[in-house]
Amino acid sequence: MSATGKKAICFYFQVHQPFRLKRYRFFDLGHDHYYYDDFSNESILRKVADKCYLPANRIILDLIQKNKGKFKVTFSLSGIVINQFRLYAPEVLDSFRQLADTGMVEFLAETNSHSLSSLKSRDQFEQQVRAHNEMLKQFLGVEASSFRNTELIYSDQIGSWVAEMGYKSMLTEGAKHVLGWKSPNYLYCNAINPRLKVLLRNFVLSDDIAFRFSNKQWSAWPLTADKYASWLNKLAPKSELVNIFLDYETFGEHNWKETGIFDFLQHMPGAILKKTPFRFMTPSEIADSLQPVSAISVPSPISWADEERDITAWLGNELQVAALDKLYELSEKVKKCNDDLMNKDWEYLQASDHFYYMATKFFSDGAVHAYFNPYETPYDAFMNFMNVLSDFEIRLKRFLPATSEQEQIAKLENTILEKDKIIEKQSAEIEKLTGKSKKGTKRGRPAASAKKATAPSLKELATRLAAASLKKPATRKKVSTLKSTVKSTKKKTVKKSPVRKSVPKKKTSRTARSKE
């Protein structure tokens, strides 16, 4: 029970946007190593920032200032959405910093890439949580003491890991099949490690705002702040803690401004403070102030998704299981790969959204999955992701070849890539010099210019020369002939030209020798 006798209400908002993948075909494998749809990622984030994040943050900041310490909220920002803010909407990140500076907002720890790592690998899970904590320190100036897992996924085992990492409380769903006759409106603790306090979401009151607010067919429509406060007040005699957990996009994106959702947000804190005995608290404050009534036993993972409140939204069919298994098969190799770009792609590919798009639920929750899905079918989502993952694996093998033969192939590929870069660079230089030469010839010697037009370009000759020098020794005669042709062409091109000194004969000879 509460040490102070007060009743607590906790408002928590999840903030996340994935890096969406572009359409990646089978024929792109081995050639195109950039996987992201930059246009969609930027346009969607800018839209949601303007419709939700910025106006909602302004309202919450104003409410904190007006209520002078009585109104508190909790956020979790995935590492991926923080990176998107940095890229596309830095003003949103600034507005979250302003909220952090008030001292009335708690930011929770989570997996950096909003991943399903807690279901596959404890090492990956803990590594991502540590990485996310560093991001919170760096970009928001806060250090988290409470935790929420991706999509509120929780089990006894996951909770014990979180407790061992030093967190005092964790958020999850108040699922009916877990609670039975118990109420979600009390504080509980982990069944393995009782030091971890567990806050359970009241899904009825949460979904009244998240899913039913703008539904005109709902019997309680329209929902006002006073009506909502009256429902809370009825719960007060048999409740100690009410947890309202929502997607932040509920405000302005899922429910548009025209529905009155922002008016509800503005008036809700005042109505609750005035008409109910509940006081706003953050998860860490609740863990310090309230005592758990009992342990909550959750042997199998639960989440806040769909009617089942389990993990079938991400692992409910063979496509999802195969994709996730294949992804985490690569984890040990990625750990050995000391490459920033590879690690960044690995992080983004772990986002749970990619597996959510593969869900084949077509009944009660099908409409929700369709709303968030950029693909026409779950099978399109699976094929696109697996194509990207196959290319990622090809790149990984180049960094960490498994056999001596693969190692030799990787070295040869790197050599070819390096030579291609040299050819491109030298071709660009020759083209630049040829351009200058043409300019000078046009001014001083129109006849020579006409004559030069019929001769092979220096770029063509350089490319042919470079290609020939990569072949077998039997082609050396051809290389010598090409060298002579390049020299003679240069003489004709730059004779009596003001740029003659910038094209020394020896430079071409050195370049040809280095390529041999």
Side-chain angles (χ1 to χ4, degrees):
M1 298 294 288
S2 170
T4 60
K6 289 184 179 178
K7 297 179 182 292
I9 184 167
C10 176
F11 265 84
Y12 152 77
F13 306 118
Q14 171 183 291
V15 185
H16 169 68
Q17 291 292 331
F19 276 104
R20 295 162 187 85
L21 303 175
K22 67 183 180 183
R23 294 299 191 270
Y24 194 90
R25 303 171 304 162
F26 173 80
F27 301 102
D28 294 325
L29 265 66
H31 305 291
D32 184 0
H33 305 315
Y34 190 78
Y35 310 134
Y36 312 105
D37 187 343
D38 290 336
F39 176 78
S40 291
N41 289 325
E42 181 172 6
S43 58
I44 290 172
L45 188 81
R46 283 299 333 169
K47 181 189 75 166
V48 179
D50 293 336
K51 291 177 69 176
C52 169
Y53 301 145
L54 291 171
N57 280 2
R58 282 195 293 270
I59 291 170
I60 288 175
L61 181 62
D62 184 57
L63 288 169
I64 288 171
Q65 292 169 344
K66 281 183 178 177
N67 287 284
K68 298 178 180 178
K70 293 181 180 179
F71 178 59
K72 299 175 182 179
V73 295
T74 304
F75 285 98
S76 69
L77 278 65
S78 69
I80 287 181
V81 85
I82 290 174
N83 281 335
Q84 289 208 31
F85 291 152
R86 293 168 61 205
L87 280 171
Y88 308 130
E91 68 275 22
V92 175
L93 196 54
D94 291 338
S95 69
F96 277 112
R97 281 196 206 99
Q98 280 184 293
L99 291 176
D101 290 341
T102 64
M104 299 292 109
V105 177
E106 180 173 6
F107 290 88
L108 304 181
E110 64 164 278
T111 56
N112 202 40
S113 58
H114 196 78
S115 75
L116 302 173
S117 56
S118 61
L119 303 175
K120 297 299 292 183
S121 166
R122 180 174 180 176
D123 283 346
Q124 278 293 323
F125 174 67
E126 293 184 351
Q127 181 182 325
Q128 285 200 26
V129 174
R130 287 192 294 269
H132 184 260
N133 236 333
E134 290 303 313
M135 290 199 79
L136 290 182
K137 290 178 192 175
Q138 183 178 356
F139 298 109
L140 293 174
V142 298
E143 189 165 1
S145 57
S146 290
F147 187 83
R148 80 104 198 180
N149 198 14
T150 303
E151 306 294 346
L152 299 191
I153 292 173
Y154 177 85
S155 70
D156 294 336
Q157 185 182 59
I158 294 170
S160 69
W161 296 347
V162 172
E164 288 173 26
M165 293 181 76
Y167 294 101
K168 60 174 71 173
S169 67
M170 184 171 176
L171 280 57
T172 190
E173 176 67 25
K176 283 183 180 179
H177 68 277
V178 167
L179 282 169
W181 58 269
K182 296 177 183 176
S183 167
N185 301 327
Y186 290 92
L187 183 65
Y188 294 87
C189 66
N190 179 257
I192 298 174
N193 192 331
R195 286 181 299 174
L196 182 78
K197 311 295 173 56
V198 181
L199 284 72
L200 302 180
R201 174 178 180 256
N202 185 310
F203 66 85
V204 175
L205 287 171
S206 298
D207 290 350
D208 284 342
I209 303 173
F211 295 112
R212 292 183 278 275
F213 184 87
S214 55
N215 180 8
K216 293 184 180 180
Q217 307 304 315
W218 181 35
S219 59
W221 187 87
L223 179 61
T224 63
D226 287 338
K227 186 185 291 185
Y228 198 74
S230 69
W231 294 346
L232 287 168
N233 196 44
K234 287 179 183 177
L235 287 176
K238 296 182 180 180
S239 303
E240 186 178 50
L241 167 66
V242 176
N243 297 306
I244 310 298
F245 301 162
L246 309 167
D247 279 322
Y248 201 30
E249 293 80 12
T250 296
F251 301 99
E253 173 60 17
H254 301 164
N255 297 289
W256 292 359
K257 178 182 178 182
E258 291 74 15
T259 64
I261 192 69
F262 287 123
D263 292 331
F264 174 82
L265 179 60
Q266 282 178 320
H267 293 98
M268 177 265 300
I272 291 173
L273 290 169
K274 186 178 179 181
K275 298 187 175 184
T276 77
F278 292 102
R279 295 296 173 261
F280 291 95
M281 297 176 74
T282 65
S284 293
E285 289 178 329
I286 290 166
D288 292 336
S289 304
L290 276 62
Q291 291 298 318
V293 292
S294 73
I296 185 79
S297 178
V298 188
S300 300
I302 60 173
S303 76
W304 70 351
D306 300 341
E307 288 189 359
E308 296 87 354
R309 315 294 180 187
D310 57 16
I311 57 172
T312 55
W314 307 276
L315 289 173
N317 62 49
E318 292 180 2
L319 301 178
Q320 294 167 309
V321 172
L324 193 68
D325 286 347
K326 182 63 179 175
L327 177 70
Y328 281 97
E329 277 177 16
L330 305 176
S331 59
E332 288 303 315
K333 286 186 177 180
V334 174
K335 194 184 292 184
K336 297 174 186 175
C337 181
N338 188 25
D339 182 81
D340 290 341
L341 188 57
M342 291 293 291
N343 288 329
K344 186 60 68 178
D345 287 338
W346 169 249
E347 179 186 331
Y348 293 166
L349 288 175
Q350 289 185 72
S352 65
D353 309 76
H354 303 310
F355 306 95
Y356 190 84
Y357 301 149
M358 300 176 201
T360 50
K361 290 187 171 186
F362 298 115
F363 299 102
S364 57
D365 303 300
V368 177
H369 285 265
Y371 177 83
F372 292 104
N373 200 336
Y375 299 95
E376 290 184 9
T377 69
Y379 309 101
D380 291 337
F382 173 76
M383 291 304 300
N384 202 66
F385 181 80
M386 293 306 285
N387 284 341
V388 168
L389 192 58
S390 296
D391 184 77
F392 180 79
E393 188 176 12
I394 290 169
R395 292 165 60 203
L396 201 55
K397 284 178 180 176
R398 287 176 183 168
F399 277 97
L400 300 164
T403 65
S404 58
E405 190 177 319
Q406 287 180 352
E407 189 173 356
Q408 193 174 0
I409 291 169
K411 284 180 181 178
L412 288 170
E413 285 178 343
N414 288 333
T415 303
I416 291 168
L417 288 171
E418 286 173 11
K419 288 188 179 291
D420 284 345
K421 288 178 184 176
I422 292 169
I423 290 170
E424 286 177 14
K425 184 179 178 182
Q426 291 181 346
S427 296
E429 288 177 5
I430 292 171
E431 192 171 352
K432 183 179 178 183
L433 294 171
T434 306
K436 288 183 180 178
S437 180
K438 280 182 181 177
K439 212 173 193 182
T441 308
K442 192 174 180 182
R443 287 176 187 165
R445 299 186 53 160
S449 175
K451 187 176 180 182
K452 183 188 161 189
T454 61
S457 71
L458 284 173
K459 182 180 177 182
E460 290 172 0
L461 291 170
T463 307
R464 285 160 58 191
L465 175 59
S469 57
L470 289 173
K471 293 181 181 177
K472 295 177 181 178
T475 61
R476 303 246 171 178
K477 277 188 181 179
K478 194 170 181 181
V479 172
S480 301
T481 307
L482 286 169
K483 284 183 186 177
S484 305
T485 311
V486 172
K487 287 180 181 179
S488 61
T489 306
K490 279 187 174 180
K491 285 179 182 178
K492 290 174 185 178
T493 304
V494 300
K495 190 176 179 182
K496 296 184 181 179
S497 171
V499 294
R500 178 185 178 109
K501 291 181 181 178
S502 64
V503 195
K505 295 178 183 178
K506 290 184 180 179
K507 184 172 180 181
T508 308
S509 302
R510 269 200 309 274
T511 307
R513 280 200 297 272
S514 67
K515 288 178 181 176
E516 287 179 345

